[in-house]
Amino acid sequence: MIIAANWKMNPPLAEAGALAAAYAGATFNGVTRVLFPPAPYLVQMAMRLDGSGILLGGQDCHQAVSGAHTGDVSAAMLASCGAGMVLIGHSERREAHGESDGLVAAKAGTALAEGLSVMICVGETLDQREAGDAEAVVTAQLDGSVPDGISADRLMLAYEPVWAIGTGKVAGVEEISDMHGAIRSWLAGRGLRGVPVLYGGSVKPDNADAIFAVADVDGALVGGASLKAADFDAICAAGTRAAAARG
Ligand code: PEP
């Protein structure tokens, strides 16, 4: 099970150090943890997490290798600050920054060329789900966002229904199971086996066990609940139980 914390534009640096230290102080069998902190914190978080086994990633990168891109961060910069992966195509970036599938694929291609692994996010809006288009939307996002020729061991996917992110609404286990099954079939069709497929969208300590009981769910991308060490730890403990149950 892979459980990833997406801190987004939180918390203040003074709290971030203590939060990372609390993560590092716990261990969870059968669970790989990943932290996506704000980019300016990466170096400090790398020091805090040293020896903990927790992987570090950036929340986004630019598609260019370098150049005149004020305010942006390159994949190489993330790597040089201690990141081994980068989150790409989060719905908050697709929505607020108008990121298209093509741009997501370009960013992923650059990140891979710079030696990073990528976690690519996909997910439908509520309107799209209510129109019965959820699977078609997610499949089209995968077609457009996952670079051709990517190797399975450098890719993770996160299915995050947009309507479930930060809203407290969680997709039902059947909805999650159907979509993860569809994503798994899409991966198989491209010869990508063993790619972890995480669920994201209001994962909390009280729903993690039910979500992780879904066969095709390989972990979670956690936003709000990752800002409290006790909640993140409780979700990771659910990951340990799920890993043990799967043997
Ligand atoms: C996310 O940021 O990817 C996310 C799933 O957020 P939350 O857990 O707060 O819904």
Side-chain angles (χ1 to χ4, degrees):
M1 301 295 282
I2 295 163
I3 314 228
N6 175 15
W7 283 358
K8 311 190 186 192
M9 207 165 69
N10 303 292
L13 183 57
E15 289 169 33
L19 187 53
Y23 281 19
T27 51
F28 299 93
N29 288 335
V31 172
T32 298
R33 289 171 292 167
V34 183
L35 172 60
F36 296 109
Y41 299 177
L42 275 168
V43 170
Q44 188 167 329
M45 294 307 111
M47 290 190 289
R48 293 270 181 178
L49 299 181
D50 190 33
S52 69
I54 299 174
L55 308 177
L56 198 58
Q59 295 179 9
D60 178 50
C61 67
H62 198 275
Q63 67 275 20
V65 170
S66 64
H69 302 288
T70 303
D72 283 311
V73 175
S74 74
M77 288 170 183
L78 296 177
S80 65
C81 290
M85 72 173 73
V86 59
L87 192 61
I88 303 187
H90 191 282
S91 65
E92 287 157 9
R93 294 210 59 89
R94 288 178 184 265
E95 269 182 16
H97 297 263
E99 294 194 0
S100 64
D101 291 335
L103 181 59
V104 171
K107 289 182 174 203
T110 304
L112 291 165
E114 296 295 341
L116 296 175
S117 297
V118 295
M119 186 182 291
I120 297 176
C121 303
V122 293
E124 81 286 356
T125 64
L126 190 56
D127 284 351
Q128 290 165 335
R129 174 159 287 276
E130 286 177 349
D133 295 336
E135 209 173 297
V137 165
V138 167
T139 302
Q141 286 176 336
L142 292 169
D143 284 338
S145 306
V146 178
D148 290 337
I150 191 169
S151 87
D153 60 359
R154 309 263 311 273
L155 173 65
M156 296 184 198
L157 295 175
Y159 167 56
E160 299 206 301
V162 177
W163 48 273
I165 297 177
T167 59
K169 290 183 193 155
V170 189
V173 287
E174 237 175 84
E175 291 167 324
I176 297 173
S177 177
D178 288 350
M179 189 62 82
H180 278 241
I183 293 171
R184 190 74 62 206
S185 304
W186 184 91
L187 286 165
R190 274 154 190 74
L192 293 166
R193 301 198 185 274
V195 171
V197 184
L198 280 57
Y199 170 79
S202 298
V203 177
K204 308 283 180 208
D206 63 0
N207 59 28
D209 282 295
I211 293 167
F212 295 159
V214 178
D216 278 316
V217 171
D218 302 314
L221 179 55
V222 184
S226 70
L227 295 170
K228 283 191 190 154
D231 286 357
F232 190 64
D233 284 357
I235 293 167
C236 293
T240 293
R241 287 191 288 278
R246 289 177 192 192

